[in-house]
Coordinates of all heavy atoms in Angstrom, one line a residue:
D120 N 8.0 -34.3 -8.0 CA 7.5 -32.9 -8.1 C 7.3 -32.4 -9.6 O 7.0 -31.3 -9.8 CB 8.5 -31.9 -7.5 CG 8.6 -32.1 -6.0 OD1 7.6 -32.6 -5.4 OD2 9.7 -31.9 -5.4
L121 N 7.4 -33.4 -10.5 CA 7.3 -33.0 -11.9 C 6.0 -33.6 -12.5 O 5.7 -34.8 -12.4 CB 8.5 -33.6 -12.7 CG 8.4 -33.4 -14.3 CD1 8.5 -31.9 -14.6 CD2 9.5 -34.2 -15.0
R122 N 5.2 -32.7 -13.1 CA 4.0 -33.1 -13.8 C 4.3 -33.1 -15.3 O 4.7 -32.1 -15.9 CB 2.8 -32.1 -13.6 CG 2.2 -32.2 -12.2 CD 1.4 -33.5 -12.0 NE 0.5 -33.8 -13.1 CZ -0.8 -33.4 -13.1 NH1 -1.3 -32.8 -12.0 NH2 -1.6 -33.7 -14.1
R123 N 4.1 -34.3 -15.9 CA 4.4 -34.5 -17.3 C 3.2 -34.1 -18.2 O 2.2 -34.9 -18.3 CB 4.9 -35.9 -17.6 CG 6.2 -36.3 -17.0 CD 6.6 -37.7 -17.4 NE 7.9 -38.0 -16.8 CZ 9.1 -37.6 -17.3 NH1 9.2 -36.9 -18.4 NH2 10.2 -38.0 -16.7
C124 N 3.2 -32.9 -18.7 CA 2.1 -32.5 -19.6 C 2.6 -32.0 -20.9 O 1.9 -31.1 -21.5 CB 1.4 -31.3 -18.8 SG 0.7 -31.8 -17.2
K125 N 3.7 -32.5 -21.4 CA 4.3 -32.0 -22.6 C 3.4 -32.1 -23.8 O 3.0 -33.3 -24.2 CB 5.6 -32.7 -22.9 CG 6.5 -32.0 -23.9 CD 7.7 -32.8 -24.4 CE 8.6 -33.3 -23.2 NZ 9.5 -32.3 -22.7
V126 N 3.0 -31.0 -24.4 CA 2.2 -31.1 -25.6 C 3.1 -31.3 -26.9 O 2.7 -32.1 -27.7 CB 1.5 -29.7 -25.8 CG1 0.7 -29.7 -27.1 CG2 0.5 -29.5 -24.6
R127 N 4.2 -30.7 -26.9 CA 5.2 -30.9 -28.0 C 6.5 -30.3 -27.5 O 6.5 -29.5 -26.5 CB 4.8 -30.3 -29.3 CG 4.5 -28.8 -29.3 CD 4.3 -28.2 -30.7 NE 5.5 -28.0 -31.3 CZ 5.9 -28.4 -32.5 NH1 5.0 -29.2 -33.2 NH2 7.0 -28.2 -33.1
P128 N 7.7 -30.6 -28.0 CA 9.0 -30.1 -27.5 C 9.2 -28.7 -28.0 O 10.0 -28.4 -28.9 CB 10.0 -31.1 -28.1 CG 9.4 -31.6 -29.3 CD 7.9 -31.7 -29.0
G129 N 8.5 -27.7 -27.4 CA 8.6 -26.3 -27.8 C 7.7 -25.9 -28.9 O 7.2 -26.7 -29.7
T130 N 7.4 -24.6 -29.0 CA 6.5 -24.1 -30.0 C 7.2 -23.9 -31.3 O 8.5 -23.9 -31.4 CB 5.9 -22.8 -29.5 OG1 7.0 -21.9 -29.2 CG2 5.0 -22.9 -28.3
R131 N 6.5 -23.6 -32.3 CA 7.1 -23.2 -33.6 C 7.5 -21.7 -33.5 O 7.1 -21.0 -32.6 CB 6.0 -23.4 -34.7 CG 5.6 -24.8 -34.9 CD 4.4 -25.0 -35.8 NE 4.0 -26.4 -35.9 CZ 3.2 -26.9 -34.9 NH1 2.8 -26.2 -33.9 NH2 2.8 -28.2 -35.0
N132 N 8.3 -21.3 -34.4 CA 8.8 -19.9 -34.5 C 7.7 -19.0 -35.1 O 7.5 -19.1 -36.3 CB 10.1 -19.9 -35.3 CG 10.7 -18.5 -35.2 OD1 10.1 -17.5 -34.8 ND2 12.0 -18.4 -35.6
F133 N 7.1 -18.2 -34.2 CA 6.0 -17.4 -34.7 C 6.5 -16.2 -35.6 O 5.6 -15.5 -36.2 CB 5.1 -16.9 -33.6 CG 5.7 -16.0 -32.6 CD1 6.0 -14.7 -32.9 CD2 6.0 -16.5 -31.3 CE1 6.5 -13.8 -31.9 CE2 6.6 -15.6 -30.3 CZ 6.8 -14.3 -30.6
L134 N 7.7 -16.1 -35.8 CA 8.2 -15.2 -36.9 C 7.8 -15.7 -38.3 O 7.6 -14.9 -39.2 CB 9.7 -15.0 -36.8 CG 10.4 -14.1 -37.8 CD1 9.8 -12.7 -37.7 CD2 11.9 -14.1 -37.7
H135 N 7.6 -17.0 -38.4 CA 7.2 -17.6 -39.6 C 5.9 -18.3 -39.6 O 5.1 -18.1 -40.6 CB 8.3 -18.7 -40.0 CG 9.7 -18.2 -39.9 ND1 10.1 -17.1 -40.7 CD2 10.7 -18.5 -39.2 CE1 11.4 -16.9 -40.5 NE2 11.8 -17.7 -39.5
D136 N 5.5 -19.0 -38.5 CA 4.3 -19.8 -38.5 C 3.6 -19.6 -37.1 O 4.3 -19.2 -36.1 CB 4.6 -21.3 -38.7 CG 5.3 -21.6 -40.0 OD1 4.6 -21.3 -41.0 OD2 6.4 -22.0 -39.9
P137 N 2.3 -19.8 -37.0 CA 1.7 -19.8 -35.7 C 2.4 -20.7 -34.7 O 2.9 -21.8 -35.1 CB 0.3 -20.2 -35.9 CG 0.0 -19.9 -37.4 CD 1.3 -20.1 -38.1
A138 N 2.5 -20.3 -33.5 CA 3.3 -21.0 -32.5 C 2.8 -22.4 -32.2 O 3.5 -23.4 -31.9 CB 3.4 -20.3 -31.1
M139 N 1.5 -22.6 -32.3 CA 0.8 -23.9 -32.1 C -0.4 -24.0 -32.9 O -1.0 -23.1 -33.4 CB 0.6 -24.1 -30.6 CG -0.4 -23.1 -30.0 SD -0.4 -23.1 -28.1 CE 0.8 -21.9 -27.7
T140 N -0.9 -25.3 -33.1 CA -2.1 -25.5 -33.8 C -3.3 -25.4 -32.8 O -3.1 -25.3 -31.5 CB -2.2 -27.0 -34.3 OG1 -2.1 -27.9 -33.2 CG2 -0.9 -27.2 -35.2
S141 N -4.5 -25.4 -33.3 CA -5.7 -25.3 -32.4 C -5.7 -26.5 -31.5 O -6.1 -26.4 -30.3 CB -6.9 -25.2 -33.3 OG -6.9 -24.0 -34.0
A142 N -5.4 -27.7 -32.0 CA -5.5 -28.9 -31.2 C -4.4 -28.8 -30.1 O -4.7 -29.2 -29.0 CB -5.2 -30.1 -32.1

Side-chain angles (χ1 to χ4, degrees):
D120 296 333
L121 177 67
R122 284 294 307 268
R123 293 187 178 278
C124 301
K125 195 192 304 283
V126 175
R127 55 172 282 126
T130 55
R131 297 166 187 84
N132 187 346
F133 62 76
L134 180 60
H135 309 298
D136 302 294
M139 59 192 95
T140 65
S141 296

